[in-house]
Each structure stands twice: as structure tokens, then as C-alpha cells.
Amino acid sequence: MLPPHRVIRAAVLALAGIAFGQSSPSLTGDWVSAFAKFDAKGYERVNLAQSGDRLTGESDGMKLTGSIKNGKIELEGKGDKDHKLKASGVFEGGEFRGTAVLDGDDLTWRMYPEKKSPGVKTHTFEPTAFHRQFTNAIPPVLHVFPGDSISTWTVDAGGNDAQMKKRSNGGNPETGPFYVEGALPGDVLAIKLNRVRLNRDLAFSGTRVVPTALHPGYFAGLQRDSEKVKGFNGKWILDREKMTGRLEKPGDRLKEYTVPLRPMMGCIGVAPPAGMAWRTGYLGVFGGNMDYNEVREGVTVYLPVFEPGALLFIGDGHAAQGDGELTGDALETSMDVTFTVDVIRGKGQSGPRMESADYLMASGIAGSLHEALQMATTELSRWLARDYDLNYAEIGLLFGSAMRYDIAEVVDPFVHVVAKIPKKALASIPPAKGK
């Protein structure tokens, strides 16, 4: 099997033969059409078959016909109702470039060959820089294919590595972004956390419950009694053999207190929609700083894709965290992590979803607990309707008898609630056809 750079070079040279009028290699195969109007962009997958200089194919539900002559391509497509395409272009820089009219809109157009995986691979990535935004503006640090795994590490929320060396300013600096070939807007990126492991013996947490989780009058009283809590700190000693944590300076009342360690990733996110950039303290439809303590080893996170390649970021490791992340910082630490990426084509979703051995879980992220609960319930309902072909009444009966909710976190700019259904409750329900 040819290495990736030789496969791509061969495709480019073959297409160059068309541009210079040499014998025509076949354009049969998979392509991507990219449309743009000012700063708005859209993408569609194209499958072409060539016979002589004639082309046929399909794209986004349209049947395509066209021709290729002397490096110039002409394509027309017609789908349901008024869904129509007319495009033309010439070969330039390894792709076809030109103009198109799509559903009545005049657009710039380019079409490039879809890259094929040379085979599943595990990449070891050594980060040298860390980023504090979820955005499409940061160049990817690594290109991978669906099915590939990445083994890497993250700094803690304050920017410290496994040796407590400062590698970044604080604020959840992220490792990445990783570009996943073939991921397009409207797809879903699946991130399977194969390994989430502590790589040092220290963690740091907040020491006081945040005011957003308390009654205002009670919180005001706590502020008046603040002298009582002097001398406390949130430094934790981690025992990686026993997988327990204890306070470095616990005081008399907590000197016997230990906490079981359950390493998790606070941040997993992709580039947000519409070219937006969010600081890494934020969370939303793109994932981000979700701080859900079930995002740990063995769990798969599903995120909607908004940019080609998805642009995946990961960071903010926690040695342990209670529901809600009530002190504003969990047991913050650096982490070694290995994960596998995959692309679920054309199965767009409205927000983050997760899957463990025991549960299907859907996120609701909003400005209040009530809104977040509504969003989480809605997203899980959509998931079950699609994958199990359940109607509204069937979902209601299932939710009424088996639903569970987790308050993932309440300390960041938005509240995160997770709706979860046990897989045991779904065991007798056949999946929808094609699932």
C-alpha cells in the first residue's frame, strides 16, 4: 500500500494529465464539493463515475450528469423539488475551481478528491503548545483518518505539565487541534477514550462552594464568617497505586478523609459553528468545557462537526470530581490520554452525546437548570427516535420508567445537565433498520 503522500501525489498527477490535455484518467470515485458565498461556506460529498468524457454521479440527494474535456468540468444536478446544481470549473492546484449556481444562489465552487486512509494507525503526539480557545483559526497539529488513535498528554487547568513545569497560561489550555480527514459539517465526530491516566501525584482544587450553587442569603452569611476558613488549601496528594487522594493540609476534621480517584477529561471540543471562537472555559453545542465526571476511560463522546476536519481539542484533566464541580475547580491535574476518532457521516445532532458500557447520555447546556434539563431530554429523545425508531408515546413510557439525570456542572458560564438512559432498559428494543 502506498504511503499517504504518494497516494495524494498520484491523484494530483493524474488530474494534472487532464489539465494539460493528456490521456484522461478516470474521475470515478469520491470527491468533496465546497461552495462559498462571501464568508458562508457549505460542503457536499460527491460520488462520480466516468465513461469516456461523460460523468454521472450523485451528491446530497441529486443525480449528477456532466462532462470533462481538456481539463474543464461541467456538472448539472437535480434533486427533489427545487434542489438544483449547475457547476463548471478548471483544474488548478490539485482540484477543480470555478463557479456554481446551487438552488438559485451564485457561488464560488471547488471540488477536490476525498483523501483515503492508508490504513489504521496509532499516532504518538508530543505537544509543544497549548491553546485557550476553541476555534477554527488555529492550524491543526496533526492530520489523522477515521479509525486512527492518538496517544498524547495534557497540561492541567493552570498550564502545568506532569513535572509541574509551567507550559501555558491558565484557563484550561488544550492539546490539539487534531484534523480528522473526511469529517464535514453535518457529520458527527466520535471520540473513544481508550486510556485516561494520571501522570503525576499532585492535584489542586477550589475550597469553597461557588455562589451559583447556594441560596444568596446563605452565601452572604458564609462571607461574613470567612475568618473561620483561613489556612485551608486545595492541594491534594494522589496515590496512583491505591487510586485515592488526600489533602496535603487537611486540618483536624478532615485528616482521615480520602477520595477515590476517577480520572476524567473536563474538556473535549471541536471548532464551534459559524467561525465562532470561544475561550476554553466555555461549553456549548461544540462540547468544550463540559466538566462531566462520566467523560472518562471507556466512554465515547459524540460531537457535531461544524468545520472540515472537525478540529478536535482535548484537555483539563481531573483526578476526581463531584457532580456539579461545585468548588469551581475539581482535582485539577495533568493527564496521559489515548483516544480513537471516527466519523459518522450525515448524522448531525444538536449537541454533545456520550455512550458508556451502561448508558446512553445526552447533554443539555443552557443558562439555567430548567433549560438545560429540557435540552438534555430533547436530545436524548431525538437519539432514541432515530436509532430505535420509537414514537413519542413509546419514548415517554421509556423515560417515565427509566430516565436518570446528572447535574454535570453549574460553575461555568452555562449549566450542564445530562439525561441518561440505561442500556438495560433498551435491551429488549430492536434497533432501527440500518443501525
Side-chain angles (χ1 to χ4, degrees), residues 400-426:
S401 58
M403 175 71 90
R404 293 190 179 184
Y405 289 100
D406 288 338
I407 299 175
E409 67 110 334
V410 297
V411 302
D412 288 316
F414 302 112
V415 175
H416 184 193
V417 171
V418 177
K420 51 195 287 190
I421 200 78
K423 286 185 174 180
K424 286 183 179 179
L426 302 172

mmCIF file with all atom_site columns, all heavy atoms in Angstrom, residues 400-426:
data_model
loop_
_atom_site.group_PDB
_atom_site.id
_atom_site.type_symbol
_atom_site.label_atom_id
_atom_site.label_alt_id
_atom_site.label_comp_id
_atom_site.label_asym_id
_atom_site.label_entity_id
_atom_site.label_seq_id
_atom_site.pdbx_PDB_ins_code
_atom_site.Cartn_x
_atom_site.Cartn_y
_atom_site.Cartn_z
_atom_site.occupancy
_atom_site.B_iso_or_equiv
_atom_site.pdbx_formal_charge
_atom_site.auth_seq_id
_atom_site.auth_comp_id
_atom_site.auth_asym_id
_atom_site.auth_atom_id
_atom_site.pdbx_PDB_model_num
ATOM 1   N N   . GLY A 1 400 ? -40.335 7.776  31.422 1.00 0.00 ? 400 GLY A N   1
ATOM 2   C CA  . GLY A 1 400 ? -41.052 7.818  32.686 1.00 0.00 ? 400 GLY A CA  1
ATOM 3   C C   . GLY A 1 400 ? -40.684 6.707  33.636 1.00 0.00 ? 400 GLY A C   1
ATOM 4   O O   . GLY A 1 400 ? -40.838 6.835  34.852 1.00 0.00 ? 400 GLY A O   1
ATOM 5   N N   . SER A 1 401 ? -40.162 5.619  33.093 1.00 0.00 ? 401 SER A N   1
ATOM 6   C CA  . SER A 1 401 ? -39.832 4.467  33.937 1.00 0.00 ? 401 SER A CA  1
ATOM 7   C C   . SER A 1 401 ? -38.341 4.263  34.159 1.00 0.00 ? 401 SER A C   1
ATOM 8   O O   . SER A 1 401 ? -37.961 3.554  35.098 1.00 0.00 ? 401 SER A O   1
ATOM 9   C CB  . SER A 1 401 ? -40.422 3.188  33.314 1.00 0.00 ? 401 SER A CB  1
ATOM 10  O OG  . SER A 1 401 ? -39.907 3.002  31.990 1.00 0.00 ? 401 SER A OG  1
ATOM 11  N N   . ALA A 1 402 ? -37.489 4.878  33.331 1.00 0.00 ? 402 ALA A N   1
ATOM 12  C CA  . ALA A 1 402 ? -36.056 4.535  33.424 1.00 0.00 ? 402 ALA A CA  1
ATOM 13  C C   . ALA A 1 402 ? -35.102 5.728  33.354 1.00 0.00 ? 402 ALA A C   1
ATOM 14  O O   . ALA A 1 402 ? -33.896 5.536  33.508 1.00 0.00 ? 402 ALA A O   1
ATOM 15  C CB  . ALA A 1 402 ? -35.700 3.548  32.314 1.00 0.00 ? 402 ALA A CB  1
ATOM 16  N N   . MET A 1 403 ? -35.584 6.953  33.127 1.00 0.00 ? 403 MET A N   1
ATOM 17  C CA  . MET A 1 403 ? -34.690 8.095  32.946 1.00 0.00 ? 403 MET A CA  1
ATOM 18  C C   . MET A 1 403 ? -33.908 8.415  34.216 1.00 0.00 ? 403 MET A C   1
ATOM 19  O O   . MET A 1 403 ? -34.429 8.299  35.342 1.00 0.00 ? 403 MET A O   1
ATOM 20  C CB  . MET A 1 403 ? -35.504 9.323  32.536 1.00 0.00 ? 403 MET A CB  1
ATOM 21  C CG  . MET A 1 403 ? -34.690 10.601 32.439 1.00 0.00 ? 403 MET A CG  1
ATOM 22  S SD  . MET A 1 403 ? -33.574 10.602 31.033 1.00 0.00 ? 403 MET A SD  1
ATOM 23  C CE  . MET A 1 403 ? -34.641 11.341 29.792 1.00 0.00 ? 403 MET A CE  1
ATOM 24  N N   . ARG A 1 404 ? -32.673 8.851  34.009 1.00 0.00 ? 404 ARG A N   1
ATOM 25  C CA  . ARG A 1 404 ? -31.856 9.401  35.093 1.00 0.00 ? 404 ARG A CA  1
ATOM 26  C C   . ARG A 1 404 ? -31.243 10.711 34.608 1.00 0.00 ? 404 ARG A C   1
ATOM 27  O O   . ARG A 1 404 ? -31.027 10.908 33.416 1.00 0.00 ? 404 ARG A O   1
ATOM 28  C CB  . ARG A 1 404 ? -30.747 8.431  35.498 1.00 0.00 ? 404 ARG A CB  1
ATOM 29  C CG  . ARG A 1 404 ? -31.257 7.164  36.151 1.00 0.00 ? 404 ARG A CG  1
ATOM 30  C CD  . ARG A 1 404 ? -30.113 6.364  36.734 1.00 0.00 ? 404 ARG A CD  1
ATOM 31  N NE  . ARG A 1 404 ? -30.585 5.153  37.380 1.00 0.00 ? 404 ARG A NE  1
ATOM 32  C CZ  . ARG A 1 404 ? -29.792 4.308  38.036 1.00 0.00 ? 404 ARG A CZ  1
ATOM 33  N NH1 . ARG A 1 404 ? -28.496 4.541  38.116 1.00 0.00 ? 404 ARG A NH1 1
ATOM 34  N NH2 . ARG A 1 404 ? -30.293 3.221  38.611 1.00 0.00 ? 404 ARG A NH2 1
ATOM 35  N N   . TYR A 1 405 ? -30.964 11.603 35.559 1.00 0.00 ? 405 TYR A N   1
ATOM 36  C CA  . TYR A 1 405 ? -30.326 12.877 35.242 1.00 0.00 ? 405 TYR A CA  1
ATOM 37  C C   . TYR A 1 405 ? -29.083 13.075 36.109 1.00 0.00 ? 405 TYR A C   1
ATOM 38  O O   . TYR A 1 405 ? -29.081 12.711 37.284 1.00 0.00 ? 405 TYR A O   1
ATOM 39  C CB  . TYR A 1 405 ? -31.274 14.053 35.488 1.00 0.00 ? 405 TYR A CB  1
ATOM 40  C CG  . TYR A 1 405 ? -32.417 14.163 34.512 1.00 0.00 ? 405 TYR A CG  1
ATOM 41  C CD1 . TYR A 1 405 ? -33.687 13.702 34.848 1.00 0.00 ? 405 TYR A CD1 1
ATOM 42  C CD2 . TYR A 1 405 ? -32.233 14.746 33.260 1.00 0.00 ? 405 TYR A CD2 1
ATOM 43  C CE1 . TYR A 1 405 ? -34.744 13.805 33.964 1.00 0.00 ? 405 TYR A CE1 1
ATOM 44  C CE2 . TYR A 1 405 ? -33.287 14.849 32.365 1.00 0.00 ? 405 TYR A CE2 1
ATOM 45  C CZ  . TYR A 1 405 ? -34.546 14.381 32.723 1.00 0.00 ? 405 TYR A CZ  1
ATOM 46  O OH  . TYR A 1 405 ? -35.587 14.488 31.835 1.00 0.00 ? 405 TYR A OH  1
ATOM 47  N N   . ASP A 1 406 ? -28.056 13.646 35.525 1.00 0.00 ? 406 ASP A N   1
ATOM 48  C CA  . ASP A 1 406 ? -26.883 14.102 36.261 1.00 0.00 ? 406 ASP A CA  1
ATOM 49  C C   . ASP A 1 406 ? -26.746 15.609 36.082 1.00 0.00 ? 406 ASP A C   1
ATOM 50  O O   . ASP A 1 406 ? -26.907 16.120 34.960 1.00 0.00 ? 406 ASP A O   1
ATOM 51  C CB  . ASP A 1 406 ? -25.604 13.440 35.741 1.00 0.00 ? 406 ASP A CB  1
ATOM 52  C CG  . ASP A 1 406 ? -25.507 11.968 36.112 1.00 0.00 ? 406 ASP A CG  1
ATOM 53  O OD1 . ASP A 1 406 ? -26.175 11.563 37.083 1.00 0.00 ? 406 ASP A OD1 1
ATOM 54  O OD2 . ASP A 1 406 ? -24.769 11.238 35.432 1.00 0.00 ? 406 ASP A OD2 1
ATOM 55  N N   . ILE A 1 407 ? -26.460 16.310 37.172 1.00 0.00 ? 407 ILE A N   1
ATOM 56  C CA  . ILE A 1 407 ? -26.069 17.718 37.068 1.00 0.00 ? 407 ILE A CA  1
ATOM 57  C C   . ILE A 1 407 ? -24.557 17.724 36.902 1.00 0.00 ? 407 ILE A C   1
ATOM 58  O O   . ILE A 1 407 ? -23.806 17.540 37.859 1.00 0.00 ? 407 ILE A O   1
ATOM 59  C CB  . ILE A 1 407 ? -26.496 18.521 38.308 1.00 0.00 ? 407 ILE A CB  1
ATOM 60  C CG1 . ILE A 1 407 ? -28.015 18.489 38.447 1.00 0.00 ? 407 ILE A CG1 1
ATOM 61  C CG2 . ILE A 1 407 ? -26.010 19.959 38.208 1.00 0.00 ? 407 ILE A CG2 1
ATOM 62  C CD1 . ILE A 1 407 ? -28.531 19.157 39.700 1.00 0.00 ? 407 ILE A CD1 1
ATOM 63  N N   . ALA A 1 408 ? -24.118 17.891 35.671 1.00 0.00 ? 408 ALA A N   1
ATOM 64  C CA  . ALA A 1 408 ? -22.694 17.758 35.370 1.00 0.00 ? 408 ALA A CA  1
ATOM 65  C C   . ALA A 1 408 ? -21.894 18.897 35.965 1.00 0.00 ? 408 ALA A C   1
ATOM 66  O O   . ALA A 1 408 ? -20.875 18.674 36.620 1.00 0.00 ? 408 ALA A O   1
ATOM 67  C CB  . ALA A 1 408 ? -22.484 17.696 33.861 1.00 0.00 ? 408 ALA A CB  1
ATOM 68  N N   . GLU A 1 409 ? -22.353 20.122 35.743 1.00 0.00 ? 409 GLU A N   1
ATOM 69  C CA  . GLU A 1 409 ? -21.641 21.252 36.335 1.00 0.00 ? 409 GLU A CA  1
ATOM 70  C C   . GLU A 1 409 ? -22.485 22.513 36.300 1.00 0.00 ? 409 GLU A C   1
ATOM 71  O O   . GLU A 1 409 ? -23.327 22.687 35.415 1.00 0.00 ? 409 GLU A O   1
ATOM 72  C CB  . GLU A 1 409 ? -20.275 21.464 35.673 1.00 0.00 ? 409 GLU A CB  1
ATOM 73  C CG  . GLU A 1 409 ? -20.314 21.910 34.254 1.00 0.00 ? 409 GLU A CG  1
ATOM 74  C CD  . GLU A 1 409 ? -19.842 23.331 34.112 1.00 0.00 ? 409 GLU A CD  1
ATOM 75  O OE1 . GLU A 1 409 ? -19.966 24.090 35.081 1.00 0.00 ? 409 GLU A OE1 1
ATOM 76  O OE2 . GLU A 1 409 ? -19.379 23.689 33.032 1.00 0.00 ? 409 GLU A OE2 1
ATOM 77  N N   . VAL A 1 410 ? -22.253 23.376 37.313 1.00 0.00 ? 410 VAL A N   1
ATOM 78  C CA  . VAL A 1 410 ? -23.031 24.609 37.464 1.00 0.00 ? 410 VAL A CA  1
ATOM 79  C C   . VAL A 1 410 ? -22.142 25.833 37.665 1.00 0.00 ? 410 VAL A C   1
ATOM 80  O O   . VAL A 1 410 ? -22.635 26.894 38.015 1.00 0.00 ? 410 VAL A O   1
ATOM 81  C CB  . VAL A 1 410 ? -24.004 24.487 38.670 1.00 0.00 ? 410 VAL A CB  1
ATOM 82  C CG1 . VAL A 1 410 ? -25.018 23.387 38.432 1.00 0.00 ? 410 VAL A CG1 1
ATOM 83  C CG2 . VAL A 1 410 ? -23.239 24.240 39.969 1.00 0.00 ? 410 VAL A CG2 1
ATOM 84  N N   . VAL A 1 411 ? -20.852 25.702 37.426 1.00 0.00 ? 411 VAL A N   1
ATOM 85  C CA  . VAL A 1 411 ? -19.923 26.770 37.814 1.00 0.00 ? 411 VAL A CA  1
ATOM 86  C C   . VAL A 1 411 ? -19.423 27.607 36.648 1.00 0.00 ? 411 VAL A C   1
ATOM 87  O O   . VAL A 1 411 ? -18.877 28.685 36.851 1.00 0.00 ? 411 VAL A O   1
ATOM 88  C CB  . VAL A 1 411 ? -18.706 26.190 38.570 1.00 0.00 ? 411 VAL A CB  1
ATOM 89  C CG1 . VAL A 1 411 ? -19.165 25.436 39.802 1.00 0.00 ? 411 VAL A CG1 1
ATOM 90  C CG2 . VAL A 1 411 ? -17.885 25.269 37.666 1.00 0.00 ? 411 VAL A CG2 1
ATOM 91  N N   . ASP A 1 412 ? -19.579 27.121 35.426 1.00 0.00 ? 412 ASP A N   1
ATOM 92  C CA  . ASP A 1 412 ? -19.056 27.851 34.280 1.00 0.00 ? 412 ASP A CA  1
ATOM 93  C C   . ASP A 1 412 ? -20.153 28.756 33.704 1.00 0.00 ? 412 ASP A C   1
ATOM 94  O O   . ASP A 1 412 ? -21.256 28.835 34.254 1.00 0.00 ? 412 ASP A O   1
ATOM 95  C CB  . ASP A 1 412 ? -18.513 26.860 33.250 1.00 0.00 ? 412 ASP A CB  1
ATOM 96  C CG  . ASP A 1 412 ? -17.215 26.221 33.741 1.00 0.00 ? 412 ASP A CG  1
ATOM 97  O OD1 . ASP A 1 412 ? -16.362 26.948 34.274 1.00 0.00 ? 412 ASP A OD1 1
ATOM 98  O OD2 . ASP A 1 412 ? -17.066 24.996 33.625 1.00 0.00 ? 412 ASP A OD2 1
ATOM 99  N N   . PRO A 1 413 ? -19.908 29.433 32.606 1.00 0.00 ? 413 PRO A N   1
ATOM 100 C CA  . PRO A 1 413 ? -20.905 30.394 32.114 1.00 0.00 ? 413 PRO A CA  1
ATOM 101 C C   . PRO A 1 413 ? -22.264 29.778 31.802 1.00 0.00 ? 413 PRO A C   1
ATOM 102 O O   . PRO A 1 413 ? -23.265 30.487 31.783 1.00 0.00 ? 413 PRO A O   1
ATOM 103 C CB  . PRO A 1 413 ? -20.243 30.953 30.852 1.00 0.00 ? 413 PRO A CB  1
ATOM 104 C CG  . PRO A 1 413 ? -18.781 30.793 31.095 1.00 0.00 ? 413 PRO A CG  1
ATOM 105 C CD  . PRO A 1 413 ? -18.652 29.520 31.856 1.00 0.00 ? 413 PRO A CD  1
ATOM 106 N N   . PHE A 1 414 ? -22.316 28.449 31.544 1.00 0.00 ? 414 PHE A N   1
ATOM 107 C CA  . PHE A 1 414 ? -23.581 27.784 31.288 1.00 0.00 ? 414 PHE A CA  1
ATOM 108 C C   . PHE A 1 414 ? -23.705 26.561 32.183 1.00 0.00 ? 414 PHE A C   1
ATOM 109 O O   . PHE A 1 414 ? -22.708 25.971 32.608 1.00 0.00 ? 414 PHE A O   1
ATOM 110 C CB  . PHE A 1 414 ? -23.685 27.369 29.816 1.00 0.00 ? 414 PHE A CB  1
ATOM 111 C CG  . PHE A 1 414 ? -23.546 28.515 28.853 1.00 0.00 ? 414 PHE A CG  1
ATOM 112 C CD1 . PHE A 1 414 ? -22.437 28.614 28.025 1.00 0.00 ? 414 PHE A CD1 1
ATOM 113 C CD2 . PHE A 1 414 ? -24.510 29.505 28.791 1.00 0.00 ? 414 PHE A CD2 1
ATOM 114 C CE1 . PHE A 1 414 ? -22.296 29.666 27.145 1.00 0.00 ? 414 PHE A CE1 1
ATOM 115 C CE2 . PHE A 1 414 ? -24.386 30.568 27.923 1.00 0.00 ? 414 PHE A CE2 1
ATOM 116 C CZ  . PHE A 1 414 ? -23.280 30.655 27.086 1.00 0.00 ? 414 PHE A CZ  1
ATOM 117 N N   . VAL A 1 415 ? -24.936 26.172 32.438 1.00 0.00 ? 415 VAL A N   1
ATOM 118 C CA  . VAL A 1 415 ? -25.219 24.981 33.232 1.00 0.00 ? 415 VAL A CA  1
ATOM 119 C C   . VAL A 1 415 ? -25.270 23.765 32.305 1.00 0.00 ? 415 VAL A C   1
ATOM 120 O O   . VAL A 1 415 ? -25.762 23.840 31.184 1.00 0.00 ? 415 VAL A O   1
ATOM 121 C CB  . VAL A 1 415 ? -26.566 25.147 33.958 1.00 0.00 ? 415 VAL A CB  1
ATOM 122 C CG1 . VAL A 1 415 ? -26.945 23.857 34.692 1.00 0.00 ? 415 VAL A CG1 1
ATOM 123 C CG2 . VAL A 1 415 ? -26.493 26.312 34.936 1.00 0.00 ? 415 VAL A CG2 1
ATOM 124 N N   . HIS A 1 416 ? -24.784 22.628 32.803 1.00 0.00 ? 416 HIS A N   1
ATOM 125 C CA  . HIS A 1 416 ? -24.736 21.394 32.023 1.00 0.00 ? 416 HIS A CA  1
ATOM 126 C C   . HIS A 1 416 ? -25.487 20.296 32.770 1.00 0.00 ? 416 HIS A C   1
ATOM 127 O O   . HIS A 1 416 ? -25.106 19.911 33.880 1.00 0.00 ? 416 HIS A O   1
ATOM 128 C CB  . HIS A 1 416 ? -23.277 20.985 31.794 1.00 0.00 ? 416 HIS A CB  1
ATOM 129 C CG  . HIS A 1 416 ? -23.103 19.780 30.927 1.00 0.00 ? 416 HIS A CG  1
ATOM 130 N ND1 . HIS A 1 416 ? -21.895 19.111 30.820 1.00 0.00 ? 416 HIS A ND1 1
ATOM 131 C CD2 . HIS A 1 416 ? -23.963 19.111 30.125 1.00 0.00 ? 416 HIS A CD2 1
ATOM 132 C CE1 . HIS A 1 416 ? -22.043 18.093 29.986 1.00 0.00 ? 416 HIS A CE1 1
ATOM 133 N NE2 . HIS A 1 416 ? -23.282 18.067 29.563 1.00 0.00 ? 416 HIS A NE2 1
ATOM 134 N N   . VAL A 1 417 ? -26.565 19.818 32.156 1.00 0.00 ? 417 VAL A N   1
ATOM 135 C CA  . VAL A 1 417 ? -27.344 18.692 32.684 1.00 0.00 ? 417 VAL A CA  1
ATOM 136 C C   . VAL A 1 417 ? -27.260 17.543 31.681 1.00 0.00 ? 417 VAL A C   1
ATOM 137 O O   . VAL A 1 417 ? -27.293 17.769 30.468 1.00 0.00 ? 417 VAL A O   1
ATOM 138 C CB  . VAL A 1 417 ? -28.816 19.090 32.909 1.00 0.00 ? 417 VAL A CB  1
ATOM 139 C CG1 . VAL A 1 417 ? -29.669 17.873 33.245 1.00 0.00 ? 417 VAL A CG1 1
ATOM 140 C CG2 . VAL A 1 417 ? -28.917 20.121 34.025 1.00 0.00 ? 417 VAL A CG2 1
ATOM 141 N N   . VAL A 1 418 ? -27.141 16.327 32.168 1.00 0.00 ? 418 VAL A N   1
ATOM 142 C CA  . VAL A 1 418 ? -27.062 15.147 31.303 1.00 0.00 ? 418 VAL A CA  1
ATOM 143 C C   . VAL A 1 418 ? -28.263 14.246 31.569 1.00 0.00 ? 418 VAL A C   1
ATOM 144 O O   . VAL A 1 418 ? -28.531 13.860 32.710 1.00 0.00 ? 418 VAL A O   1
ATOM 145 C CB  . VAL A 1 418 ? -25.758 14.367 31.539 1.00 0.00 ? 418 VAL A CB  1
ATOM 146 C CG1 . VAL A 1 418 ? -25.731 13.099 30.695 1.00 0.00 ? 418 VAL A CG1 1
ATOM 147 C CG2 . VAL A 1 418 ? -24.549 15.246 31.217 1.00 0.00 ? 418 VAL A CG2 1
ATOM 148 N N   . ALA A 1 419 ? -28.989 13.932 30.502 1.00 0.00 ? 419 ALA A N   1
ATOM 149 C CA  . ALA A 1 419 ? -30.058 12.937 30.565 1.00 0.00 ? 419 ALA A CA  1
ATOM 150 C C   . ALA A 1 419 ? -29.482 11.599 30.132 1.00 0.00 ? 419 ALA A C   1
ATOM 151 O O   . ALA A 1 419 ? -28.773 11.517 29.128 1.00 0.00 ? 419 ALA A O   1
ATOM 152 C CB  . ALA A 1 419 ? -31.211 13.343 29.640 1.00 0.00 ? 419 ALA A CB  1
ATOM 153 N N   . LYS A 1 420 ? -29.786 10.543 30.886 1.00 0.00 ? 420 LYS A N   1
ATOM 154 C CA  . LYS A 1 420 ? -29.159 9.249  30.600 1.00 0.00 ? 420 LYS A CA  1
ATOM 155 C C   . LYS A 1 420 ? -30.183 8.124  30.742 1.00 0.00 ? 420 LYS A C   1
ATOM 156 O O   . LYS A 1 420 ? -31.030 8.139  31.643 1.00 0.00 ? 420 LYS A O   1
ATOM 157 C CB  . LYS A 1 420 ? -27.953 9.024  31.520 1.00 0.00 ? 420 LYS A CB  1
ATOM 158 C CG  . LYS A 1 420 ? -28.236 9.222  32.981 1.00 0.00 ? 420 LYS A CG  1
ATOM 159 C CD  . LYS A 1 420 ? -26.970 9.359  33.823 1.00 0.00 ? 420 LYS A CD  1
ATOM 160 C CE  . LYS A 1 420 ? -26.216 8.064  33.994 1.00 0.00 ? 420 LYS A CE  1
ATOM 161 N NZ  . LYS A 1 420 ? -25.140 8.185  35.004 1.00 0.00 ? 420 LYS A NZ  1
ATOM 162 N N   . ILE A 1 421 ? -30.085 7.168  29.841 1.00 0.00 ? 421 ILE A N   1
ATOM 163 C CA  . ILE A 1 421 ? -30.992 6.019  29.860 1.00 0.00 ? 421 ILE A CA  1
ATOM 164 C C   . ILE A 1 421 ? -30.142 4.754  29.957 1.00 0.00 ? 421 ILE A C   1
ATOM 165 O O   . ILE A 1 421 ? -29.152 4.599  29.225 1.00 0.00 ? 421 ILE A O   1
ATOM 166 C CB  . ILE A 1 421 ? -31.898 5.984  28.606 1.00 0.00 ? 421 ILE A CB  1
ATOM 167 C CG1 . ILE A 1 421 ? -33.129 5.118  28.834 1.00 0.00 ? 421 ILE A CG1 1
ATOM 168 C CG2 . ILE A 1 421 ? -31.151 5.617  27.362 1.00 0.00 ? 421 ILE A CG2 1
ATOM 169 C CD1 . ILE A 1 421 ? -34.207 5.792  29.635 1.00 0.00 ? 421 ILE A CD1 1
ATOM 170 N N   . PRO A 1 422 ? -30.460 3.839  30.877 1.00 0.00 ? 422 PRO A N   1
ATOM 171 C CA  . PRO A 1 422 ? -29.657 2.612  30.984 1.00 0.00 ? 422 PRO A CA  1
ATOM 172 C C   . PRO A 1 422 ? -29.816 1.749  29.734 1.00 0.00 ? 422 PRO A C   1
ATOM 173 O O   . PRO A 1 422 ? -30.914 1.584  29.201 1.00 0.00 ? 422 PRO A O   1
ATOM 174 C CB  . PRO A 1 422 ? -30.254 1.904  32.210 1.00 0.00 ? 422 PRO A CB  1
ATOM 175 C CG  . PRO A 1 422 ? -31.032 2.942  32.940 1.00 0.00 ? 422 PRO A CG  1
ATOM 176 C CD  . PRO A 1 422 ? -31.522 3.899  31.908 1.00 0.00 ? 422 PRO A CD  1
ATOM 177 N N   . LYS A 1 423 ? -28.724 1.184  29.284 1.00 0.00 ? 423 LYS A N   1
ATOM 178 C CA  . LYS A 1 423 ? -28.795 0.287  28.139 1.00 0.00 ? 423 LYS A CA  1
ATOM 179 C C   . LYS A 1 423 ? -29.628 -0.961 28.453 1.00 0.00 ? 423 LYS A C   1
ATOM 180 O O   . LYS A 1 423 ? -30.230 -1.551 27.552 1.00 0.00 ? 423 LYS A O   1
ATOM 181 C CB  . LYS A 1 423 ? -27.386 -0.115 27.698 1.00 0.00 ? 423 LYS A CB  1
ATOM 182 C CG  . LYS A 1 423 ? -26.637 1.005  26.964 1.00 0.00 ? 423 LYS A CG  1
ATOM 183 C CD  . LYS A 1 423 ? -25.307 0.513  26.450 1.00 0.00 ? 423 LYS A CD  1
ATOM 184 C CE  . LYS A 1 423 ? -24.609 1.562  25.600 1.00 0.00 ? 423 LYS A CE  1
ATOM 185 N NZ  . LYS A 1 423 ? -23.300 1.085  25.098 1.00 0.00 ? 423 LYS A NZ  1
ATOM 186 N N   . LYS A 1 424 ? -29.694 -1.326 29.730 1.00 0.00 ? 424 LYS A N   1
ATOM 187 C CA  . LYS A 1 424 ? -30.525 -2.470 30.115 1.00 0.00 ? 424 LYS A CA  1
ATOM 188 C C   . LYS A 1 424 ? -31.990 -2.214 29.764 1.00 0.00 ? 424 LYS A C   1
ATOM 189 O O   . LYS A 1 424 ? -32.727 -3.140 29.417 1.00 0.00 ? 424 LYS A O   1
ATOM 190 C CB  . LYS A 1 424 ? -30.385 -2.744 31.612 1.00 0.00 ? 424 LYS A CB  1
ATOM 191 C CG  . LYS A 1 424 ? -29.067 -3.392 32.012 1.00 0.00 ? 424 LYS A CG  1
ATOM 192 C CD  . LYS A 1 424 ? -29.046 -3.685 33.508 1.00 0.00 ? 424 LYS A CD  1
ATOM 193 C CE  . LYS A 1 424 ? -27.739 -4.351 33.902 1.00 0.00 ? 424 LYS A CE  1
ATOM 194 N NZ  . LYS A 1 424 ? -27.679 -4.629 35.374 1.00 0.00 ? 424 LYS A NZ  1
ATOM 195 N N   . ALA A 1 425 ? -32.409 -0.936 29.862 1.00 0.00 ? 425 ALA A N   1
ATOM 196 C CA  . ALA A 1 425 ? -33.788 -0.593 29.554 1.00 0.00 ? 425 ALA A CA  1
ATOM 197 C C   . ALA A 1 425 ? -34.068 -0.714 28.050 1.00 0.00 ? 425 ALA A C   1
ATOM 198 O O   . ALA A 1 425 ? -35.220 -0.833 27.641 1.00 0.00 ? 425 ALA A O   1
ATOM 199 C CB  . ALA A 1 425 ? -34.099 0.822  30.023 1.00 0.00 ? 425 ALA A CB  1
ATOM 200 N N   . LEU A 1 426 ? -33.018 -0.682 27.235 1.00 0.00 ? 426 LEU A N   1
ATOM 201 C CA  . LEU A 1 426 ? -33.163 -0.764 25.775 1.00 0.00 ? 426 LEU A CA  1
ATOM 202 C C   . LEU A 1 426 ? -32.925 -2.172 25.231 1.00 0.00 ? 426 LEU A C   1
ATOM 203 O O   . LEU A 1 426 ? -33.074 -2.408 24.044 1.00 0.00 ? 426 LEU A O   1
ATOM 204 C CB  . LEU A 1 426 ? -32.181 0.202  25.113 1.00 0.00 ? 426 LEU A CB  1
ATOM 205 C CG  . LEU A 1 426 ? -32.290 1.681  25.504 1.00 0.00 ? 426 LEU A CG  1
ATOM 206 C CD1 . LEU A 1 426 ? -31.122 2.472  24.927 1.00 0.00 ? 426 LEU A CD1 1
ATOM 207 C CD2 . LEU A 1 426 ? -33.605 2.270  25.034 1.00 0.00 ? 426 LEU A CD2 1
#
